[in-house]
Amino acid sequence: MFEDYVSDIKTKRATERDLEIIGEAVNRIFKKDKNFKLENAQKIIGTRNRIIHGYDMISDDLIWSIVINHLPKLKKEVEFLLNK
């Protein structure tokens, strides 16, 4: 699957864009509520900033790792918060 990701520029850009949107959403939440509990919130915001401001520093390995290792955990955390 990683090879498919790396070879498909549209998927790569769409994935990066979605991570930007997630990071911006977390950033906006924290501007309104500094006490909002979300694990890795600063890393999420930092990833957004890195993608937006440092395209030459974004590796396929990094994005793939986020998608595979971190997004499933974030999804569960958000679902839990929504169902509270």
Side-chain angles (χ1 to χ4, degrees):
M1 282 182 58
F2 177 71
E3 294 78 19
D4 295 332
Y5 170 77
V6 170
S7 65
D8 186 348
I9 192 72
K10 285 193 272 185
T11 299
K12 286 171 48 172
R13 296 302 173 250
T15 302
E16 290 170 4
R17 178 67 178 134
D18 284 346
L19 291 174
E20 291 172 6
I21 291 167
I22 292 167
E24 182 62 23
V26 171
N27 193 34
R28 289 181 185 199
I29 290 168
F30 274 91
K31 284 182 180 178
K32 290 185 183 240
D33 182 359
K34 299 278 186 204
N35 297 316
F36 188 78
K37 301 292 182 208
L38 187 65
E39 188 177 339
N40 296 316
Q42 292 305 318
K43 288 182 181 180
I44 294 167
I45 295 167
T47 299
R48 173 243 183 233
N49 292 339
R50 190 170 174 190
I51 292 170
I52 288 176
H53 300 295
Y55 287 107
D56 60 331
M57 299 179 350
I58 301 300
S59 73
D60 293 334
D61 293 326
L62 173 66
I63 299 298
W64 186 253
S65 174
I66 291 168
V67 169
I68 297 302
N69 297 312
H70 301 286
L71 278 185
K73 293 175 189 174
L74 177 61
K75 180 182 178 192
K76 286 180 184 178
E77 189 175 2
V78 169
E79 286 173 344
F80 174 79
L81 291 170
L82 290 172
N83 290 320
K84 263 178 125 175

